[in-house]
Amino acid sequence: MLIHLIAAARPNFMKIAPLYHALKKEEWATPIIVHTGQHYDLNMSDAFFKDLGLPEPDIHLGIGSGTHAEQAGRVMIAYEKTLIETKPDLVIVVGDVNSTMAATLAAAKLGIKVAHVEAGLRSFDRTMPEEINRIVTDSLADILFTPSKDGDENLIREGIPKAKIKMVGNIMIDTLIANLEKARNKKTHMHLGLKEKDFVYVTLHRPSNVDKKATLSTIMEHLYRLSSFLPVCFPLHPRTRKMLTTYGISCRSNNHLKLIDPIGYHDSICLAEQARFVLTDSGGLQEETTFFKTPCLTLRPNTERPVTITDGSNKLTNIENLWPDIENLLNDSHKTGKIPELWDGHTAERIVERLRE
Ligand code: UD1
C-alpha cells in the first residue's frame, strides 16, 4: 500500500512523524513523505525534520509563500502531477493548513482515498483560514481520525457517516511523549538565561493578532510591561517579525524580553514544560501546555480545541482582558486541569491498526 504523508508547514511535521515511524515498521505499507514547501526556512522546516528523526522528503513540491489562493492553487497543480505519476493508494493529510486542504482536493478529484488526521475540530469562526481548510478537508476525506469527542460530534452534526469517523486521540502527544527526554535534556531555558518556572513563553503569529498595527503594538506594550515582572521569551514567527518591521514597532531584544528567531521542536517543548505560563495563539501549544499542565493564555476569541479548556490548563483571552488575565497568572491563580482521554502517545498505533483493517 503506497501511502503519501503530506508535510507542509511547521505544525504538520510533528503530526506526520509518528505516523511515518509507525508505518515504516509495517510490511504492507510504504510511506512516502511529500513536502509541499509551504514552510521552507531552515528553522521552520529542516530543523523539525532533524529533531523528529524524519528523512529528507521523498517528494518536494517547492510551493513557497503566497496568498491563500496562490498557495492552494500551486499545491493542487503540482500535487496533481505527482499523484498521476506515483498513483498512491492513500493520501494522509494532517491538521488544517492551506496545503492540507489543497492536497485533499487534488486527491479527491482523482478518486484517490484521503485520510484526515486531526479531523472534526471546529472553531465555528470562518474568518480563520484554517476553519475553511478544516471544513473542506473533512467533507472530502474518506477516513476521519479525530483527537477528541467534540470532533466526532461536529462531524456527525455535519452529516458525515459515523462509519467514516474514528476517535484515535491526539497525534501531537505521540510526538511529545517520544521526544520528552531529548527536550528535557536540552535545558533550553538555562541556555537562554531563564530559570525553571520563572519565565513566560510567548508565541504569536495569527493574522488576527499580528497583521493589524494597533493590535500588534498593544500586544508588544503588554509584553514589555509583563517583562518587568517576569522574563519573557518570544521566538518570532517570520510573519510576526515581518509585521513588526513593516509597522516600525520596536523588536529590540533585552534581558527581560527576549525576542529570538524561531526555535526547534525540542526547544519549544522544553520551554512549554518549564515556563510559569504560556501566552500563545498556536493550536499545538494549547495542547502541549494541557499535557504539561502549564497554565496557558490563548489570545484568540475561540478555539477549535475546546478540550484544552474543559479538561486542560488553557484559557481564552482578548486584548481588553489580556493584562488582567496576565495579572491573575502572576498572582498564581490558575488551573492546571487534567490530560484528556486518549492523549497517551498511542494515537499513531491506533491509526495504523485501523488502516491495516
Ligand atoms: C501557517 C498556517 C497556520 C499555522 C502556521 C504555523 C495556513 C492558512 N496557515 O500560517 O495555520 O498555524 O502556518 O506556522 O495554512 N514565511 C517565511 N518562511 C517560511 C514560511 C513562511 O518567511 O518558511 C513567511 C512568509 O513571509 C509568508 C508568511 O511567513 O508569507 C506566512 O506564511 P504562511 O505559511 O502563508 O502562513 P503562516 O502564518 O505561517
Side-chain angles (χ1 to χ4, degrees):
M1 194 174 180
L2 184 62
I3 303 176
H4 281 185
L5 291 165
I6 307 297
R10 194 166 61 173
N12 281 16
F13 308 139
M14 283 80 96
K15 295 170 197 170
I16 64 157
L19 284 170
Y20 177 80
H21 295 308
L23 284 168
K24 220 34 203 168
K25 292 187 202 143
E26 299 292 313
E27 265 176 30
W28 54 270
T30 309
I32 294 282
I33 298 179
V34 181
H35 194 328
T36 65
Q38 179 170 341
H39 284 174
Y40 42 85
D41 285 346
L42 284 181
N43 56 15
M44 295 292 286
S45 177
D46 305 41
F48 287 80
F49 273 71
K50 202 168 150 246
D51 274 0
L52 301 169
L54 287 171
E56 294 265 304
D58 300 278
I59 297 167
H60 205 300
L61 303 179
I63 295 310
S65 300
T67 66
H68 291 272
E70 284 166 349
Q71 212 166 44
R74 287 206 291 262
V75 172
M76 283 186 72
I77 294 165
Y79 189 45
E80 183 184 58
K81 287 198 187 93
T82 303
L83 285 167
I84 292 168
E85 277 162 22
T86 54
K87 297 185 182 53
D89 300 292
L90 178 72
V91 174
I92 301 185
V93 295
V94 296
D96 55 16
V97 301
N98 285 343
S99 302
T100 303
M101 176 197 69
T104 302
L105 270 165
K109 281 176 177 280
L110 289 173
I112 296 169
K113 293 254 178 297
V114 176
H116 184 204
V117 176
E118 210 182 77
L121 296 186
R122 295 290 180 273
S123 65
F124 304 100
D125 175 0
R126 290 196 185 189
T127 64
M128 274 189 87
E130 293 81 2
E131 183 73 355
I132 295 171
N133 295 341
R134 291 179 203 116
I135 293 168
V136 174
T137 304
D138 283 344
S139 68
L140 294 175
D142 301 277
I143 315 173
L144 297 107
F145 292 117
T146 61
S148 44
K149 273 196 200 111
D150 53 289
D152 295 43
E153 287 158 12
N154 292 333
L155 294 172
I156 288 164
R157 197 179 326 104
E158 288 172 19
I160 309 257
K162 235 180 172 168
K164 286 184 168 185
I165 307 167
K166 172 86 182 152
M167 180 168 135
V168 287
N170 191 328
I171 195 87
M172 288 282 274
I173 304 302
D174 282 26
T175 307
L176 193 163
I177 292 172
N179 286 274
L180 196 49
E181 210 184 309
K182 280 188 188 145
R184 284 179 175 154
N185 286 341
K186 281 211 91 173
K187 302 199 186 308
T188 311
H189 54 300
M190 286 168 66
H191 296 300
L192 288 165
L194 301 164
K195 291 190 211 119
E196 202 177 306
K197 296 289 163 193
D198 196 37
F199 67 94
V200 183
Y201 177 30
V202 178
T203 80
L204 297 164
H205 73 283
R206 299 275 168 200
S208 56
N209 284 328
V210 306
D211 281 7
K212 279 203 201 97
K213 186 177 182 182
T215 312
L216 187 56
S217 35
T218 309
I219 292 171
M220 292 310 289
E221 280 162 23
H222 284 316
L223 293 184
Y224 276 108
R225 190 171 169 197
L226 168 59
S227 68
S228 63
F229 295 89
L230 260 187
V232 173
C233 176
F234 184 6
L236 294 177
H237 185 283
R239 175 191 281 277
T240 310
R241 192 179 281 283
K242 190 166 93 182
M243 298 321 290
L244 285 167
T245 312
T246 305
Y247 294 141
I249 302 171
S250 163
C251 47
R252 262 207 321 269
S253 194
N254 60 46
N255 267 345
H256 302 284
L257 178 55
K258 292 171 192 288
L259 302 171
I260 59 176
D261 282 337
I263 55 176
Y265 178 68
H266 293 144
D267 292 323
S268 181
I269 288 298
C270 179
L271 295 188
E273 185 176 30
Q274 294 300 336
R276 173 110 141 251
F277 68 89
V278 168
L279 170 65
T280 191
D281 57 14
S282 140
L285 265 164
Q286 293 174 56
E287 299 179 331
E288 288 153 358
T289 48
T290 277
F291 183 83
F292 287 130
K293 303 185 175 173
T294 302
C296 178
L297 276 183
T298 297
L299 187 53
R300 281 181 43 189
N302 45 55
T303 177
E304 62 289 340
R305 294 164 162 86
V307 75
T308 60
I309 296 177
T310 52
D311 291 16
S313 57
N314 190 18
K315 182 181 189 302
L316 297 181
T317 189
N318 54 33
I319 286 289
E320 290 72 38
N321 292 325
L322 182 56
W323 188 253
D325 281 336
I326 286 175
E327 269 189 322
N328 274 340
L329 287 171
L330 289 173
N331 293 331
D332 259 351
S333 114
H334 60 78
K335 57 171 185 164
T336 45
K338 61 170 191 207
I339 298 175
E341 191 188 348
L342 296 188
W343 289 29
D344 57 0
H346 298 291
T347 293
E349 285 163 38
R350 285 186 281 270
I351 292 174
V352 169
E353 188 60 44
R354 183 69 162 193
L355 295 179
R356 193 188 295 118
E357 280 167 18

